[in-house]
Amino acid sequence: MSGLFSTLSTSNKGLQVSQTALQTVSHNVSNAGTKGYSMQRVQVVTSLPLSNGSGVGQIGTGAEVSSITRVRDTFLDYQIRKETSISSQYSARDEFLSQVDAIFNEPSSTGLSKDLSSFWNAWSQLASSPESTTARTLVVSNAKSLASTLNQIYSQLEELQDNAGLIIKEDDFSINGMLEQIKDLNAQIKAIYISGQTPNDLLDQRDLLIDELSKNIEITTSEGEFGGISISARVNNGAITLVDCDNEKYDSGLAYIGSLDYYIEDDSLSERISIEGTNSKGQIESIKYNNVAMDLKYDPSGSISGVQIDGTILSGNGDTVTFSDGKQMTVQSDNTLVVDGQTISVDSDTGKIKVDGNDVDINSSGQLIDTSSNKILFDGLSFKLASGNTFSSFSYGDEDVDLNNGILTVSSNGSSISFNGSKGTISVGGEDIAISALDSSNIKATATLYMEGNTNRVLRIENIDKDRWDDFSACNVIAFNYKEYSKFKNGKSSFDTTIDYDQASSFGFKNADFISGSIKGYRSIQDEIESYKEQLNNLAKVLAISVNEIHSGAGEGISFFTKEAETSSEAAKVISVNSILDEDPTKVNAGTVIGKTSGDGTRANLIARLKTTKIDILSIDSAESFINNTGLDLENFTIKGSSSGTTLDDYFNSLISELGVSYQEASKMVDNQESLLTQLETRKESISGVSLDEEMINMIQFQKAYVANAKVINAVQTLLDSVLSLV
Amino acid sequence: MRITTNYMTKTYLNDLNTNLENMTKLEEQLSTGSSILSSKDDPFKAYRTMQLSTSIASNDRYLENIEDAITWCDSTSTSLSEMISVMQRVRELTVQSGDGSYNDTQLYSIQTEIEQLKDELMQIGNTEIDGRYIFGGDETTRTPFSNNEGFIMYKGSDRGINKELAQGVIMDIAAVGNDFSVDSSEEGNMYSLFANNTAIIKGSTTGASGYEDSGDLTISGNYDISKGKCSIHMEVLSVSNKAVTGVKVTITGSDGTSSERIISPEDGKIDLTNELGIKISIDDSLNNRAGNTYDFDVKPSIMDGIIGLLKNGKSAADLIEQVDNKLDKLLYMSSDCGAIQNRLDTMKSKNKDQSLNLKELLSKTSEVDISEAYIQYSSLKNVYIASLKTGAGIIQQSLLDYLD
């Protein structure tokens, strides 16, 4: 049999339950608009009943709050995060592709296709009025506009690529920040769980951070002890653990590697040799020694075919020098020189110099003079003879070239660099350097840069995000950069000459090839822009090669576009109209005979016909390959064209439709993902969201319960009063 | 399904945004008139649009070429008709000269008229449009015919003018002066109409070839028509200061006999007055070198022949056949020119048809159907207004409004 006090205590519990419920209603209402908040519910259970000795059974003792829980569907969280990653990957692509689309601005009346068509039409017009100066000026001005559009598009694309890099860098930074916060929250949550409570609001905060994180990278989560959560990034060949909730010391993050700098440190050399960057094929493009930069040239098979030093190119079997103005000099085995198609030889008995077999004079500055016309042959070229009347050294302009047993040495600004063409080696300051290309296709950094005969060599990579680096104990640094997949830094100071991927990963390096997320989007954009740049380069290169070949009559006259565009790996960036023609458009060749202006527009017509000529653009890397591919015949001024290629116009049009397809896909994916996400989020809202109407009803319910409990207390009080009045 | 407050606003905002997006897209299409604003709208259509725009531009370019060619041919045709009427007059006069009753005065007046007609022929031969000589072949910038003290030379070229009038269609539209005046091609016909051809001399020189590189030839004087056709071969023996100082001349007559002489030019002229009545000069040139050779033919011209006969008080009637030959040639060239004109007219209308077709195709590919788009726009606008009203109605309401 329970007493009145027992009833009072039951009502008191009732009051407390109602109060807690009202407090939760008020918490829910306050957070109705808070991001990431999930509705909380008070779980009420009946308290333990009293056993009654009188045989009527157990007597209830009221209600009590067992827990306050979040209403949340974790599977929905998983779905939302996964789709968010995909959605933001495509948003990133969509955002950048819209900029790429704006740069190309096609189809329009101002884009590159318009410039290209005006360029061909200008040639056609010149072919129709070959004696006209105006038509020539039009050809030059249209070509200038075409070249500058190419230059402009190219540099804008480059800028965009860099911007994507910057965004990745910023994203890395914010990801690292979020990972820190998640780690902190893990610690707090664990502490509260251990004390037996549920930190609903902290859980909400952590979930929100994980939601945010899934925008940047696709992640998987797994629950650990006491409410902790471990987070891994999903990458192509597995996963990279970012947060390990069961190991507090585990520290990992992302580092952005903007550029890598290799150099040889060698006590025996006073100067450092550094590698200055690589091209898209992962080949080392340039080496700097003593502040003199050498650019390396590769043949299609990937071996080094030449070295360019200050504009002078050493190539072939160590016997050909191409000077900065394009003039070529070849040293032949019979100790004769071939310069510009003319043979220079020395009579070994008399030491007299002959050009094409005719005697010539040498003036005091070492220039060759034609005896009959008193004209200087090969202006700027001079040379010395060695004993035995063989050529020993040459100079052309400011550059000195030495020849010694087939090894050419160029001296410039006090540094000398030699190239042994037959061995394919380069030597700097008397030491041979061997270089092999980086091979990015199988992610093996096989860059070996070494000095023959020296063992003390170090390859160091610098310019990494160092501050972050030092914070990591168990390093999981992830390298991002579209060109830098295969390059890694070791954790501490330096490592040996050759590193490969396996070794690098043992230092804690992983190449972050994420499955999805905005970083994946930006990285794919960098690659895609690279491919557009590549296509523009191909276009510009073939344009320059084809127009130059016809305009110059296979090198007889001046070239139309600068020669640089024919060989440069960034043809679209460097292409421009030959400055001679820019200054004097009347020098444009239109007729069969070079340098003659008449009513003959055969040459201009042939150039205009390039417009409809099919070319296997990818197979063209020189005038020779162009002739082979298209059957260009400069004797009869005909061009057959390739049976399988495309026209230059079509090549560009395909680029645009490729861009269109990719942009369309990104846009559609953004739309699809958005509607999918909206659906998921509204579902989440439907489950975890706060409904004000519902809360009001709850409020009324608990308010009434509170009042009812109070009434019971009131009743008990009356009862007690009447009992006490008996006393 | 549980509907919460945020659920409703989220869904509502989302739908409203979709409405606006659709409207913006249509609004852009309506205001630009183009349905392909970016390559993503329809990559294939964008590709077609670019291709078509390029085709239209080059078709327009071809039209200009055709019109240019038409002007050229019109002018050629007029000049050829003028030449024909001049030649008909020459024929009449030549026939008249055969009338035995004509006295010397009458013959003299015929002679002077023919001399005038010779000049007139030369003038017609030098007709130009826009500073371009129409009878010089592809040498449009230099006067094709020049009279050097009586000797008329053709300095044009033997190549015609090729114009690209449609893709892959290259047509020679020129009537070359070489064809009617010189007749180097007609074997057996010894006479040229009124000019001799020296421009097309093929000189073989060391390191250089043709008039282009070596000194230019000029012939002056009155060619002795009794010599018939002579072939001249010259070899440069010495050069001083760019000028030719010694030359070996070999003259081969029409009968095959040849004579050879070494001459030192005086005042730059190689004097062959005694042999042929002419003087030859080689211009100063950097490329004048010992060993350069020149080969060319000199022929009597019909006009000079007629004038010469009349000068001597003889009838020129023997030359009527020659005159007729030339007249035939001119008539042939004139009808050829007419054929080209016809073809050009056809090409022009074909080009215009093509242009129209291409433009229609472009319009179908990339232009927006205004009426359809506008109807769509109006219906979207209605949907938008309806959604605004509904939103305003539902979202404001809550249980709170009814609680005291």
Side-chain angles (χ1 to χ4, degrees):
Chain A
M1 179 85 194
S2 61
L4 279 176
F5 286 114
S6 165
T7 314
L8 207 56
S9 133
T10 304
S11 299
N12 186 26
K13 277 189 201 158
L15 280 179
Q16 274 173 19
V17 167
S18 303
Q19 222 168 3
T20 313
L22 277 172
Q23 172 65 31
T24 306
V25 165
S26 124
H27 187 56
N28 280 341
V29 171
S30 317
N31 283 300
T34 306
K35 204 178 172 193
Y37 181 78
S38 9
M39 181 185 59
Q40 296 180 8
R41 279 281 171 263
V42 176
Q43 305 294 331
V44 182
V45 290
T46 45
S47 47
L48 276 178
L50 285 176
S51 285
N52 190 323
S54 63
V56 280
Q58 289 190 313
I59 293 173
T61 55
E64 61 185 27
V65 174
S66 73
S67 66
I68 300 173
T69 51
R70 310 189 289 164
V71 180
R72 197 163 175 115
D73 181 344
T74 46
F75 180 65
L76 209 52
D77 279 344
Y78 164 78
Q79 277 183 308
I80 287 177
R81 282 167 195 161
K82 191 173 152 66
E83 300 306 333
T84 305
S85 296
I86 298 172
S87 170
S88 45
Q89 175 190 346
Y90 283 98
S91 297
R93 288 180 57 78
D94 185 53
E95 175 198 339
F96 269 79
L97 285 170
S98 82
Q99 292 181 59
V100 175
D101 190 59
I103 288 172
F104 280 111
N105 191 21
E106 297 283 2
S108 77
S109 55
T110 51
L112 186 67
S113 69
K114 173 76 185 170
D115 278 337
L116 205 52
S117 130
S118 307
F119 173 71
W120 299 127
N121 281 347
W123 279 106
S124 179
Q125 188 173 5
L126 177 60
S128 177
S129 2
E131 53 286 273
S132 157
T133 308
T134 322
R136 284 182 164 71
T137 314
L138 275 175
V139 164
V140 171
S141 63
N142 275 306
K144 272 168 72 184
S145 134
L146 173 64
S148 71
T149 307
L150 272 168
N151 302 155
Q152 210 182 344
I153 290 179
Y154 194 84
S155 55
Q156 280 174 318
L157 287 179
E158 267 186 333
E159 212 173 290
L160 211 56
Q161 224 174 6
D162 291 345
N163 281 349
L166 278 180
I167 292 178
I168 295 174
K169 196 174 178 179
E170 278 164 21
D171 278 357
D172 282 0
F173 194 71
S174 72
I175 288 170
N176 287 339
M178 284 190 275
L179 292 176
E180 282 303 316
Q181 288 183 52
I182 290 172
K183 263 184 258 173
D184 289 349
L185 281 168
N186 261 347
Q188 292 178 36
I189 287 166
K190 272 165 128 180
I192 293 168
Y193 259 104
I194 289 169
S195 72
Q197 287 164 338
T198 320
N200 287 328
D201 297 321
L202 292 180
L203 290 174
D204 276 351
Q205 273 183 41
R206 192 177 62 185
D207 278 332
L208 185 63
L209 277 169
I210 298 173
D211 286 351
E212 288 289 320
L213 193 60
S214 66
K215 281 184 187 162
N216 297 121
I217 46 182
E218 186 174 339
I219 45 160
T220 50
T221 56
S222 60
E223 293 213 13
E225 295 175 317
F226 304 113
I229 270 190
S230 297
I231 294 174
S232 315
R234 290 190 63 200
V235 293
N236 243 339
N237 39 12
I240 300 171
T241 307
L242 296 174
V243 174
D244 183 353
C245 64
D246 296 327
N247 174 8
E248 265 175 44
K249 292 220 168 121
Y250 186 86
D251 195 357
S252 168
L254 309 185
Y256 180 77
I257 300 177
S259 67
L260 296 181
D261 206 10
Y262 299 75
Y263 59 85
I264 293 180
E265 205 174 50
D266 192 321
D267 295 340
S268 68
L269 280 175
S270 54
E271 293 293 335
R272 279 172 166 178
I273 302 168
S274 54
I275 296 177
E276 295 269 301
T278 53
N279 62 19
S280 55
K281 289 182 186 151
Q283 294 163 330
I284 295 166
E285 268 186 328
S286 149
I287 298 176
K288 203 171 188 186
Y289 170 66
N290 221 356
N291 291 326
V292 177
M294 315 186 258
D295 292 326
L296 304 182
K297 308 270 166 200
Y298 294 88
D299 62 20
S301 72
S303 35
I304 295 169
S305 62
V307 189
Q308 178 169 346
I309 301 150
D310 276 1
T312 298
I313 302 169
L314 311 180
S315 60
N317 290 320
D319 55 10
T320 302
V321 188
T322 309
F323 292 102
S324 26
D325 63 353
K327 220 163 232 176
Q328 279 202 340
M329 184 169 82
T330 308
V331 190
Q332 296 184 314
S333 53
D334 59 352
N335 191 39
T336 55
L337 275 179
V338 178
V339 185
D340 255 15
Q342 306 207 38
T343 311
I344 307 178
S345 54
V346 204
D347 188 317
S348 56
D349 298 328
T350 61
K352 280 207 165 170
I353 312 270
K354 288 168 184 283
V355 173
D356 282 345
N358 301 326
D359 282 345
V360 293
D361 292 339
I362 305 176
N363 68 10
S364 52
S365 16
Q367 291 163 327
L368 298 179
I369 308 292
D370 183 343
T371 341
S372 60
S373 69
N374 219 28
K375 198 175 131 195
I376 297 172
L377 300 161
F378 317 122
D379 196 11
L381 171 72
S382 58
F383 48 80
K384 293 193 194 92
L385 295 182
S387 62
N389 294 325
T390 54
F391 294 108
S392 73
S393 73
F394 317 89
S395 74
Y396 184 78
D398 297 333
E399 287 145 355
D400 289 327
V401 184
D402 279 314
L403 175 77
N404 187 12
N405 293 330
I407 299 170
L408 282 172
T409 304
V410 167
S411 313
S412 183
N413 300 331
S415 297
S416 70
I417 292 163
S418 314
F419 176 58
N420 185 339
S422 53
K423 279 170 74 185
T425 56
I426 298 158
S427 73
V428 181
E431 298 269 12
D432 279 354
I433 312 172
I435 294 162
S436 65
L438 288 170
D439 182 359
S440 58
S441 56
N442 57 4
I443 320 200
K444 280 207 171 151
T446 55
T448 55
L449 177 70
Y450 60 93
M451 319 274 302
E452 266 176 17
N454 270 303
T455 47
N456 183 21
R457 53 197 183 238
V458 182
L459 184 61
R460 187 177 283 173
I461 307 166
E462 282 198 331
N463 196 12
I464 199 168
D465 188 357
K466 263 191 174 149
D467 296 340
R468 184 68 194 154
W469 181 265
D470 295 336
D471 295 342
F472 298 134
S473 46
C475 306
N476 249 325
V477 173
I478 296 162
F480 299 122
N481 191 308
Y482 63 103
K483 281 181 183 170
E484 312 279 341
Y485 292 153
S486 51
K487 305 173 193 167
F488 309 97
K489 176 191 190 295
N490 86 341
K492 299 305 165 194
S493 56
S494 58
F495 42 78
D496 240 328
T497 328
T498 322
I499 45 165
D500 61 28
Y501 186 73
D502 300 333
Q503 256 184 295
S505 55
S506 71
F507 286 109
F509 265 102
K510 287 210 176 78
N511 179 31
D513 192 2
F514 296 124
I515 299 272
S516 64
S518 67
I519 289 184
K520 158 95 174 176
Y522 292 124
R523 279 179 68 170
S524 69
I525 270 297
Q526 285 186 318
D527 286 342
E528 196 166 328
I529 294 177
E530 188 66 16
S531 119
Y532 296 141
K533 277 164 63 187
E534 201 62 34
Q535 292 183 47
L536 282 180
N537 283 335
N538 292 336
L539 178 76
K541 185 184 234 170
V542 175
L543 184 73
I545 290 175
S546 57
V547 174
N548 280 355
E549 181 68 7
I550 300 177
H551 184 263
S552 70
E556 192 188 331
I558 53 173
S559 62
F560 186 80
F561 290 110
T562 42
K563 291 291 268 182
E564 199 188 355
E566 292 185 29
T567 49
S568 168
S569 59
E570 290 187 312
K573 194 180 187 178
V574 299
I575 192 168
S576 66
V577 176
N578 192 339
S579 56
I580 301 172
L581 293 174
D582 192 10
E583 279 157 25
D584 184 4
T586 59
K587 292 206 167 88
V588 173
N589 296 325
T592 322
V593 180
I594 281 176
K596 186 187 164 205
T597 305
S598 72
D600 171 21
T602 316
R603 195 177 295 274
N605 198 24
L606 190 61
I607 293 178
R609 278 171 55 202
L610 282 175
K611 172 188 175 149
T612 51
T613 305
K614 284 185 176 176
I615 307 168
D616 288 310
I617 288 167
L618 291 178
S619 70
I620 310 293
D621 59 357
S622 63
E624 205 173 35
S625 52
F626 175 72
I627 293 169
N628 286 339
N629 188 254
T630 57
L632 172 72
D633 177 358
L634 283 175
E635 291 284 312
N636 302 311
F637 285 90
T638 54
I639 187 161
K640 285 206 250 342
S642 145
S643 52
S644 54
T646 60
T647 64
L648 286 166
D649 287 41
D650 248 15
Y651 186 70
F652 178 69
N653 293 350
S654 313
L655 185 162
I656 294 300
S657 63
E658 189 188 322
L659 168 66
V661 169
S662 154
Y663 185 19
Q664 194 182 38
E665 189 218 0
S667 288
K668 279 190 178 157
M669 280 301 284
V670 168
D671 286 350
N672 292 349
Q673 285 301 115
E674 262 175 17
S675 62
L676 184 57
L677 265 179
T678 315
Q679 219 178 3
L680 289 171
E681 264 165 13
T682 45
R683 253 186 79 71
K684 180 176 163 185
E685 189 56 50
S686 158
I687 292 169
S688 308
V690 177
S691 163
L692 289 179
D693 293 348
E694 203 176 282
E695 296 302 325
M696 285 307 108
I697 290 164
N698 283 341
M699 185 183 81
I700 292 164
Q701 185 191 335
F702 291 118
Q703 198 183 355
K704 294 289 176 200
Y706 190 89
V707 173
N709 277 311
K711 290 265 185 212
V712 174
I713 291 172
N714 203 347
V716 173
Q717 192 196 357
T718 325
L719 291 177
L720 279 173
D721 278 352
S722 37
V723 171
L724 285 173
S725 65
L726 296 176
V727 181
Chain B
M1 172 138 189
R2 183 171 170 263
I3 308 292
T4 64
T5 318
N6 278 352
Y7 180 94
M8 218 131 102
T9 41
K10 256 188 187 173
T11 326
Y12 174 68
L13 278 176
N14 210 35
D15 293 342
L16 200 67
N17 200 40
T18 313
N19 276 343
L20 278 174
E21 262 176 37
N22 291 340
M23 279 170 77
T24 314
K25 175 116 193 143
L26 264 180
E27 185 265 320
E28 268 181 55
Q29 290 191 351
L30 276 168
S31 57
T32 55
S34 169
S35 63
I36 312 288
L37 296 167
S38 145
S39 53
K40 78 158 176 179
D41 292 340
D42 187 333
F44 177 72
K45 278 190 175 173
Y47 177 85
R48 278 298 282 158
T49 307
M50 286 163 74
Q51 257 187 344
L52 285 169
S53 311
T54 313
S55 297
I56 290 171
S58 59
N59 216 48
D60 287 351
R61 180 61 245 157
Y62 288 135
L63 183 65
E64 279 179 51
N65 287 2
I66 293 172
E67 272 165 358
D68 195 26
I70 288 177
T71 321
W72 189 276
C73 284
D74 286 350
S75 182
T76 309
S77 170
T78 317
S79 303
L80 283 173
S81 321
E82 282 170 13
M83 267 189 212
I84 289 166
S85 59
V86 169
M87 283 308 288
Q88 274 160 348
R89 178 70 187 144
V90 170
R91 190 180 189 281
E92 267 171 44
L93 291 170
T94 315
V95 173
Q96 277 177 27
S97 76
D99 188 336
S101 64
Y102 273 43
N103 61 23
D104 282 0
T105 329
Q106 280 165 318
L107 285 180
Y108 180 72
S109 67
I110 292 176
Q111 180 203 333
T112 45
E113 190 174 345
I114 291 202
E115 273 168 1
Q116 292 302 318
L117 292 173
K118 176 184 163 190
D119 281 350
E120 201 179 331
L121 278 179
M122 192 183 97
Q123 274 165 20
I124 300 169
N126 284 342
T127 309
E128 52 180 306
I129 353 172
D130 298 340
R132 295 188 284 177
Y133 293 100
I134 58 172
F135 289 117
D138 66 9
E139 284 285 352
T140 51
T141 45
R142 77 174 180 188
T143 326
F145 296 100
S146 58
N147 187 340
N148 304 299
E149 300 163 24
F151 193 91
I152 298 184
M153 278 168 57
Y154 173 68
K155 285 204 171 183
S157 118
D158 57 354
R159 291 182 304 266
I161 290 174
N162 291 318
K163 278 198 192 287
E164 192 171 19
L165 303 173
Q167 191 179 323
V169 180
I170 296 175
M171 218 160 104
D172 184 353
I173 55 153
V176 184
N178 191 35
D179 287 348
F180 60 78
S181 67
V182 184
D183 263 354
S184 53
S185 57
E186 279 177 51
E187 283 303 321
N189 179 8
M190 200 171 67
Y191 286 86
S192 60
L193 176 56
F194 62 96
N196 269 276
N197 180 352
T198 60
I200 312 162
I201 294 163
K202 300 281 181 271
S204 58
T205 63
T206 42
S209 68
Y211 65 92
E212 201 67 52
D213 298 296
S214 46
D216 207 355
L217 283 187
T218 311
I219 306 176
S220 56
N222 286 303
Y223 183 69
D224 181 354
I225 56 161
S226 65
K227 298 288 177 191
K229 175 182 166 186
C230 285
S231 300
I232 300 179
H233 170 81
M234 299 199 306
E235 186 184 343
V236 177
L237 298 176
S238 57
V239 173
S240 162
N241 227 352
K242 297 193 291 180
V244 174
T245 51
V247 65
K248 186 167 85 181
V249 183
T250 314
I251 302 166
T252 310
S254 49
D255 53 358
T257 57
S258 67
S259 63
E260 191 177 288
R261 195 151 83 86
I262 290 172
I263 302 174
S264 306
E266 284 170 28
D267 303 331
K269 285 181 177 163
I270 301 158
D271 193 344
L272 296 175
T273 320
N274 290 336
E275 288 92 338
L276 302 169
I278 54 170
K279 287 178 178 175
I280 303 170
S281 52
I282 303 175
D283 289 352
D284 289 359
S285 161
L286 262 179
N287 289 308
N288 277 336
R289 289 182 192 185
N292 282 8
T293 55
Y294 298 89
D295 281 286
F296 54 96
D297 294 339
V298 188
K299 291 176 180 178
S301 82
I302 298 170
M303 301 303 282
D304 287 335
I306 296 170
I307 293 164
L309 287 168
L310 292 172
K311 250 185 198 164
N312 295 330
K314 289 181 190 160
S315 146
D318 286 351
L319 287 171
I320 284 176
E321 197 189 328
Q322 302 285 351
V323 174
D324 282 344
N325 274 344
K326 292 295 160 187
L327 206 49
D328 282 352
K329 177 79 188 173
L330 282 172
L331 283 166
Y332 170 75
M333 284 175 77
S334 176
S335 67
D336 207 26
C337 186
I340 293 176
Q341 277 176 309
N342 282 343
R343 190 161 166 214
L344 286 173
D345 286 341
T346 322
M347 291 199 75
K348 186 174 169 180
S349 61
K350 214 167 150 188
N351 181 294
K352 286 196 163 163
D353 284 352
Q354 175 114 9
S355 216
L356 203 69
N357 284 343
L358 286 170
K359 281 175 186 160
E360 201 180 309
L361 208 55
L362 180 66
S363 143
K364 274 185 190 158
T365 315
S366 71
E367 275 174 24
V368 84
D369 182 341
I370 300 275
S371 49
E372 192 190 320
Y374 197 77
I375 290 167
Q376 274 181 11
Y377 187 76
S378 307
S379 83
L380 277 178
K381 207 165 97 184
N382 289 336
V383 172
Y384 180 64
I385 292 169
S387 64
L388 278 180
K389 282 191 176 161
T390 323
I394 296 176
I395 289 188
Q396 276 176 3
Q397 307 302 317
S398 128
L399 185 59
L400 280 170
D401 298 327
Y402 306 101
L403 287 178
D404 294 329

